[in-house]
Amino acid sequence: MATSVAVAGALTAHDRRILTAVNVGASSLSLAGSSFIVVCYLLFKELRKFSFKLVFYLALSDMLCSFFGIIGDPSKGFFCYAQGYSTHFFCVASFLWTTTIAFTLHRTVVKHKTDVEDLEAMFHLYVWGTSLVMTVMRSFGNDHKHFGAWCWTQTGRTGKAVHFVTFYMPLWGAILYNGFTYLQVIRMLNNATRMAVGMSGQTFVSDTRDNMRALNRWGYYPLILIGSWTFGTINRIHDFFEPNHKIFWLTFLDVGTAALMGLFNSIAYGLNSSVRRAICERLDKFWPERLNRWLPNSLKYKNLQQESELVLFKTEDQ
């Protein structure tokens, strides 16, 4: 992946084999998770709404990023370049799609706008265009080489600085934007909830608490990117100032957490109430008696998070 840069340095062959195994294993989990969301979107027509369409694009980016990250030990030449550029492109696209989801929530909930579906073309231009520009800029000052499990760039302060500018700066910009946006959304919903409770009485309190418990999950979404790329950022900074001193445990965490980003996104964004409901309805057609025994009714017939999504994206049905 994009984070697997210059790990060869002072690391032993045994260390590199371990890192290769970690990268392949974690990327495989991300590939499986993101592919599951992509398949669900293609199979279940009821999921093809604008809100989940953005999740589909996110999962598609994660799926391709993980796929190219799994391809270890590529041949030199064209395939070496293809792997390096592809992982960078789709990893950047992945975290950019999370900003479009945050933007959509903010525009719908805070600004009360109903034109989010009209912005889909702009979203595509923003995500794919920015990813392409960052990937092309990534080649400046770099020499693509082949390092065991990965094929990416190496050495040179210029190349490392360009890597930081074209990947980690946009990444942390997306993290800050998502965090600020979700904070505003949750604050807006909290204020609306307090007003509703005051006007509706105690009978509304329990339902309100359940809804807010589901909505507050959005506050954890920025933590996915933070958890996935904190060690990578620290490793890049350390490698810039100490290029001849590789820290194995830091590189281990760098590779492992970054490769799991697709899995984390698929669970947080993709495996939501709408997906679970669609799966349960399909399973209920084939094994109704068995399904009723082991699935709680709350999962099958009542899901507060889905109700919240319908309110937030009410323009979809208009």
Side-chain angles (χ1 to χ4, degrees):
M1 294 181 65
T3 182
S4 306
V5 181
V7 299
L11 300 178
T12 65
H14 177 68
D15 293 338
R16 293 196 295 273
R17 285 195 295 270
I18 294 176
L19 295 176
T20 300
V22 171
N23 176 66
V24 172
S27 296
S28 298
L29 292 175
S30 291
L31 178 63
S34 54
S35 298
F36 175 77
I37 300 304
V38 170
V39 171
C40 287
Y41 178 83
L42 296 177
L43 290 180
F44 304 144
K45 293 183 179 180
E46 60 266 33
L47 296 179
R48 298 175 191 173
K49 299 179 180 181
F50 182 73
S51 58
F52 200 79
K53 185 183 292 187
L54 298 180
V55 176
F56 165 73
Y57 294 135
L58 169 62
L60 184 64
S61 299
D62 285 330
M63 182 182 72
L64 294 172
C65 179
S66 300
F67 171 76
F68 286 106
I70 292 173
I71 301 177
D73 197 17
S75 59
K76 297 181 181 179
F78 171 78
F79 293 103
C80 182
Y81 280 90
Q83 187 207 28
Y85 282 116
S86 298
T87 52
H88 192 272
F89 178 86
F90 288 111
C91 283
V92 173
S94 174
F95 65 72
L96 290 181
W97 277 118
T98 67
T99 64
T100 65
I101 296 173
F103 175 85
T104 301
L105 280 171
H106 183 272
R107 189 170 182 83
T108 305
V109 177
V110 178
K111 294 190 174 181
H112 306 291
K113 300 292 185 179
T114 60
D115 60 346
V116 287
E117 292 189 49
D118 299 333
L119 302 176
E120 182 178 356
M122 293 298 297
F123 287 165
H124 282 286
L125 180 63
Y126 155 68
V127 173
W128 304 124
T130 303
S131 299
L132 179 61
V133 171
M134 293 296 103
T135 304
V136 172
M137 290 177 59
R138 179 73 177 90
S139 64
F140 298 158
N142 287 288
D143 177 22
H144 284 254
K145 296 182 180 179
H146 175 250
F147 295 105
W150 301 284
C151 178
W152 198 232
T153 53
Q154 168 72 333
T155 67
R157 283 182 174 267
T158 301
K160 294 175 181 178
V162 171
H163 182 205
F164 204 90
V165 170
T166 58
F167 187 83
Y168 287 96
M169 285 184 62
L171 168 68
W172 285 98
I175 291 173
L176 292 175
Y177 173 80
N178 289 351
F180 177 76
T181 300
Y182 283 120
L183 180 63
Q184 285 192 315
V185 170
I186 293 173
R187 183 178 298 172
M188 177 76 176
L189 292 173
N190 278 325
N191 292 336
T193 299
R194 282 194 292 267
M195 293 178 61
V197 170
M199 293 184 295
S200 302
Q202 294 299 320
T203 58
F204 186 74
V205 172
S206 59
D207 288 339
T208 299
R209 290 174 178 173
D210 290 337
N211 277 282
M212 288 310 303
R213 191 178 297 113
L215 297 176
N216 283 334
R217 290 182 56 198
W218 294 334
Y220 295 100
Y221 288 172
L223 297 180
I224 295 174
L225 290 178
I226 295 175
S228 297
W229 295 106
T230 295
F231 293 110
T233 304
I234 297 173
N235 201 21
R236 296 289 79 73
I237 296 174
H238 174 268
D239 183 63
F240 184 84
F241 293 103
E242 298 288 341
N244 297 321
H245 178 57
K246 310 296 182 185
I247 303 177
F248 174 73
W249 67 265
L250 182 59
T251 306
F252 180 93
L253 294 174
D254 172 7
V255 173
T257 56
L260 288 173
M261 179 181 66
L263 178 64
F264 297 150
N265 282 336
S266 64
I267 294 174
Y269 289 95
L271 198 59
N272 57 22
S273 60
S274 300
V275 175
R276 295 196 301 269
R277 185 186 184 94
I279 294 174
C280 289
E281 290 176 351
R282 297 310 188 279
L283 292 177
D284 193 35
K285 293 180 180 180
F286 296 99
W287 302 289
E289 295 181 359
R290 182 175 299 179
L291 190 68
N292 287 330
R293 286 199 300 267
W294 63 270
L295 275 183
N297 290 331
S298 58
L299 184 60
K300 293 179 58 181
Y301 305 109
K302 181 182 179 182
N303 198 300
L304 295 171
Q305 184 180 357
Q306 184 183 39
E307 294 174 2
S308 302
E309 290 174 356
L310 292 175
V311 172
L312 295 178
F313 296 102
K314 59 184 177 181
T315 57
E316 298 169 2
D317 298 324
Q318 293 180 350

